Amino acid sequence: MIPLPLARIAEITSGALTGMADPRAVVRGPVVIDSRAVVPGSLFVAFKGERADGHDFAAQAVEAGAVAVLAEKPVEAPAVIVGDTQAALAALATAVCAELPQSTVIGVTGSAGKTSTKDLLARLTARIGPTIAPVGSFNNEIGHPLTVLKADETTRYQVLELSARNIGHIAELARIAPPKIGVVLNVGTAHLGVFGGKEAIAKAKGELVEALPADGVAVLNADDPLVAAMAERTAARVTWYGRAESAAVRAENVTLDERGRASFTLRTPSGAAPVTLRLYGGHAVENALAAAAAAYELGLPVATIAEELSQAEPRSRWRMEVTDRADGVTVINDAYNANPDSMRAAFGALDALAGSRRRFAVVASLRELGEESDTLNEGVGRLAGEAGLTGLIVVGGNAGPILTGARAAAARLPEEERPVVTHVPDVAAAAAELHKALASGDAVLIKGPRAAGLERVAEALLGGDGR
């Protein structure tokens, strides 16, 4: 963060200094919302959450080195008191971003693949200048400004992930850090129940390209019609990526190895280079192409882009983490989140990774699908039932549609090919079932919505206690 005295922070946030706060004391960052992350020079933002109230930790944060606390009520520590800490955080990030005209903001959005694409793109931009990017998927109204506030005078690129839970959310995030380049990956069924339809999801995702200036660049997926239609919604120049021959940046001759990792020829307007990904699943090709297209617009040579893509390892947790146990069991932990589209991609990766080995899957009912919830979850069940599984474990409540779909699909198979479909109440029971069922050489996919906590199943299989 750029150094700011408390008086300036109070001015930006329309706050009042209390608790003997020194207006000349300088915050140098980081700005944090967890008192355990405080270091000398920090600003601690007190949020009231479901389980804890950050105001209760104000004194502890200052003792750990925070210069002051951004709070909504008086605390026993030097503080900037504001009416709304979330709005104040956004105002602070907006002001800091405006002070850094040399920093190019690149926004990434889409129904699936945002975090993986952001990670790849941040690796590419780091080749040409200091880069900040969120850890994991810090992409909402709190995580987004916190990431922006990591920027300082040396930052050349801000690679930001933008998520929408409703119409207007991406537009608001884009106002905090106005993007120069906007990357739109796809329009799928994530949060379908919140938006009410894919057209509404497209409307929300397209707010990113609407925020671009006339001298900006919209990087759009030529293979997704709803994304392609966004070209009409932006004043920026449009560049296309995908597998279609019309895409300026495209993948040719795509193949998968025995571990489900893709190799392809990266074709650009100025030449081509071979790419061999270390990321798992054929869907990683689209993420790599999106990152490559944005990097190409920034002037990176195609050979450099291909080199970086080929060296990239997964950066964010619980996204296609593939681990081989000593007994030969392969655990695919893709439990960070799930929607119907990412479920399909995950089962495709399982098919490539497992090959002729026995395969198992642990899933949970998908959320935020609205009136289509039962239909889409039943479709996930059919997908699992047709995936050549030896066993399917469905965890938690609202499992009926998945079980119905899986059992209906299994019933169409020869008896000896039908998976054993089991419903368990929680992750501990799922781990127990797997411990009994798995044998040397098996492969297991763990995939579900974030709220299901299925990553704990993977932790239990890999030596943790799974709690």
Side-chain angles (χ1 to χ4, degrees), residues 346-357:
F347 273 103
L350 173 64
D351 185 58
L353 271 162
S356 61
R357 297 185 289 164

Side-chain angles (χ1 to χ4, degrees), residues 28-116:
R28 302 183 184 279
V31 178
V32 299
I33 60 173
D34 185 338
S35 61
R36 295 168 295 185
V38 167
V39 297
S42 295
L43 177 68
F44 173 61
V45 184
F47 278 99
K48 185 175 183 180
E50 293 181 3
R51 298 182 180 179
D53 186 344
H55 295 82
D56 296 337
F57 299 91
Q60 177 181 320
V62 172
E63 289 175 4
V67 176
V69 179
L70 190 65
E72 294 180 356
K73 59 185 179 182
V75 293
E76 296 182 0
V80 181
I81 305 299
V82 296
D84 183 328
T85 49
Q86 182 176 309
L89 182 65
L92 186 58
T94 303
V96 167
C97 193
E99 291 290 324
L100 301 172
Q102 81 287 353
S103 179
T104 299
V105 176
I106 307 170
V108 179
T109 195
S111 294
K114 293 185 294 295
T115 300
S116 297

Side-chain angles (χ1 to χ4, degrees), residues 413-434:
L413 299 172
E415 188 171 352
E416 65 275 10
E417 296 179 13
R418 295 174 187 171
V420 176
V421 180
T422 307
H423 177 224
V424 298
D426 52 39
V427 295
E433 287 290 328
L434 284 173

Side-chain angles (χ1 to χ4, degrees), residues 108 117 121 183-185 219 241-242 249 285-295:
V108 179
T117 302
L121 184 50
V183 181
V184 186
L185 303 174
V219 179
Y241 75 90
V249 176
V285 174
E286 278 66 35
N287 300 337
L289 288 174

Side-chain angles (χ1 to χ4, degrees), residues 184-210:
V184 186
L185 303 174
N186 43 56
V187 175
T189 49
H191 311 299
L192 189 63
V194 175
F195 287 97
K198 291 184 72 171
E199 290 73 17
I201 295 172
K203 179 176 175 60
K205 302 300 183 186
E207 290 170 2
L208 175 59
V209 301
E210 290 176 345

Side-chain angles (χ1 to χ4, degrees), residues 172-411:
E172 182 60 34
L173 297 180
R175 279 191 284 271
I176 292 172
K180 187 70 173 289
I181 297 176
V183 181
V184 186
L185 303 174
N186 43 56
V187 175
T189 49
H191 311 299
L192 189 63
V194 175
F195 287 97
K198 291 184 72 171
E199 290 73 17
I201 295 172
K203 179 176 175 60
K205 302 300 183 186
E207 290 170 2
L208 175 59
V209 301
E210 290 176 345
L212 297 172
D215 61 347
V217 181
V219 179
L220 301 181
N221 184 352
D223 301 329
D224 187 317
L226 289 174
V227 175
M230 294 177 192
E232 302 298 320
R233 296 170 57 185
T234 184
R237 179 168 56 83
V238 175
T239 190
W240 303 96
Y241 75 90
R243 303 201 190 194
E245 289 188 10
S246 60
V249 176
R250 61 187 182 272
E252 298 176 344
N253 306 316
V254 179
T255 61
L256 297 180
D257 68 10
E258 71 283 354
R259 299 280 284 173
R261 295 167 297 199
S263 294
F264 59 92
T265 299
L266 175 64
R267 179 74 59 183
T268 74
S270 60
V275 174
T276 299
L277 295 177
R278 299 183 184 184
L279 308 177
Y280 294 92
H283 59 287
V285 174
E286 278 66 35
N287 300 337
L289 288 174
Y296 183 79
E297 290 296 328
L298 292 171
L300 266 74
V302 62
T304 301
I305 295 171
E307 175 190 350
E308 289 294 336
L309 292 178
S310 296
Q311 293 178 358
E313 302 277 0
R315 286 189 179 184
S316 298
R317 298 182 65 192
W318 309 332
R319 294 169 176 84
M320 276 294 147
E321 287 184 356
V322 179
T323 306
D324 294 314
R325 297 195 323 193
D327 62 357
V329 170
T330 299
V331 179
I332 307 168
N333 181 0
D334 197 35
Y336 184 81
N337 216 336
N339 58 59
D341 305 300
S342 66
M343 275 286 192
R344 190 171 298 105
F347 273 103
L350 173 64
D351 185 58
L353 271 162
S356 61
R357 297 185 289 164
R358 295 199 314 164
R359 58 190 74 174
F360 294 80
V362 181
V363 302
S365 178
L366 305 184
R367 317 286 178 90
E368 297 185 350
L369 298 177
E371 294 179 359
E372 298 295 316
S373 180
D374 286 355
T375 300
L376 292 171
N377 272 300
E378 190 171 328
V380 169
R382 287 195 302 273
L383 177 69
E386 298 166 351
L389 300 175
T390 297
L392 171 67
I393 300 171
V394 184
V395 182
N398 303 315
I402 290 182
L403 294 168
T404 296
R407 288 166 176 159

